[in-house]
């Protein structure tokens, strides 16, 4: 991986990091970000950065209770501040696209809205976290989001030809991670570099297998520096890591041959 980093810096290759949520890029690629920042153009882009305070599902209520926040909008304002803090440490500035995260994504169908007044779960695309959000199955109701995201990313990258797009492999099956992967594969094709999603790869003992035509590359992590980045995400650390202890790990990537 070090040779690839040297080549990126030498060629001044533009690197786009498409993060599903307000922590994913740093969690999975914090070491790489720190080695590329200020040495080549780096553009962190976070897709799902918002939530709503509409009548929440039971799953959303439980999530808020666990994080200690009374409402989702306040939580996401805090999460954005945390990400901005981590990016500041890296000398970077992220772009936030403003899409609503899966747990708060509303079903726009007219009947869903009506039934949602009876039971909130009817009004959401993924009403039950445990069975739906880590399923790896992106709902057809998200097609509009996929199309809008595709157009935004095409506009951001424009006519650039000297670039890589770093995206989640999708370990853990979170629908937002899978959605981002699907859109980026369609838009950027051979320019895609996958990252193995941390800490889900550690939890599951599964770092992913290189897709056809790709090879695995491993990057050693300076634990002290990367842990300092991760600890910016104060609202998330306790939920991500038992006892708030960040396990030793390497960063794993899949790169086109």
């Amino acid at each position: 991986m070090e040779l690839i980093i040297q080549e990126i810096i030498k060629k001044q290759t533009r690197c786009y990091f498409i993060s599903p949520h307000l922590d994913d890029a740093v969690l999975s690629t914090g070491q790489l970000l720190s080695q590329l920042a200020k040495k080549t153009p780096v553009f962190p882009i976070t897709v799902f950065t918002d939530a709503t305070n509409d009548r929440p599902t039971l799953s959303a209520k439980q999530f808020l209770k666990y994080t200690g926040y009374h409402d989702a909008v306040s939580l996401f304002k805090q999460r954005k501040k945390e990400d901005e803090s981590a990016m500041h440490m890296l000398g970077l500035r992220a772009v936030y696209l403003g899409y609503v995260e899966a747990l708060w994504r509303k079903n726009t169908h007219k009947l869903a809205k009506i039934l949602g007044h009876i039971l909130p779960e009817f009004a959401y695309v993924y009403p039950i976290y445990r069975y739906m959000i880590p399923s790896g199955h992106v709902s057809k109701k998200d097609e509009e989001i996929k199309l809008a995201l595709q157009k935004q990313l095409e506009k951001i990258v424009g006519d650039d030809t000297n670039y890589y797009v770093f995206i989640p492999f999708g370990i853990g099956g979170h629908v937002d991670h899978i959605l981002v992967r699907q859109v980026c594969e369609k838009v950027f094709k051979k320019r895609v570099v996958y990252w193995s999603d941390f800490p889900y790869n550690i939890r599951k003992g599964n770092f992913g297998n290189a897709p056809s035509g790709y090879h695995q590359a491993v990057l050693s992590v300076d634990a002290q520096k990367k842990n300092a980045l991760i600890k910016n995400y104060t609202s998330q650390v306790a939920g991500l890591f038992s006892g708030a202890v960040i396990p030793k790990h390497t960063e794993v990537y899949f790169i086109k041959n």
Side-chain angles (χ1 to χ4, degrees), residues 129-130 132-137 168-178 196-208:
Y129 185 99
R130 181 180 298 179
M132 304 181 83
I133 292 180
S135 68
H137 177 69
F169 191 79
I171 304 297
H174 194 295
V175 291
D176 287 345
H177 289 226
I178 302 301
S196 180
D197 311 63
F198 174 76
Y200 314 103
N201 50 14
I202 297 288
R203 290 181 193 168
K204 295 181 174 296
N206 174 20
F207 289 80

Side-chain angles (χ1 to χ4, degrees), residues 79-168:
R79 291 187 66 183
K80 193 174 290 185
K81 289 179 181 178
E82 293 167 359
D83 191 66
E84 288 171 342
S85 177
M87 292 299 151
H88 180 74
M89 287 180 66
L90 289 164
L92 299 171
R93 179 176 292 181
V95 172
Y96 303 116
L97 298 186
Y99 291 92
V100 173
E101 192 170 315
L103 190 55
W104 285 273
R105 202 134 72 233
K106 300 295 283 290
N107 185 340
T108 58
H109 193 280
K110 188 174 181 179
L111 181 59
K113 293 179 181 179
I114 294 170
L115 293 174
H117 291 295
I118 302 170
L119 183 68
E121 275 69 9
F122 283 119
Y124 290 84
V125 177
Y126 304 99
I128 305 173
Y129 185 99
R130 181 180 298 179
Y131 299 112
M132 304 181 83
I133 292 180
S135 68
H137 177 69
V138 178
S139 171
K140 290 183 179 179
K141 299 179 181 71
D142 277 339
E143 286 301 317
E144 188 174 334
I145 288 176
K146 291 172 74 173
L147 182 58
L149 177 59
Q150 176 181 333
K151 290 180 179 178
Q152 272 190 292
L153 293 177
E154 286 173 338
K155 185 176 181 179
I156 288 170
V157 175
D159 297 327
D160 196 357
T161 58
N162 179 34
Y163 71 91
Y164 283 122
V165 177
F166 293 82
I167 68 170

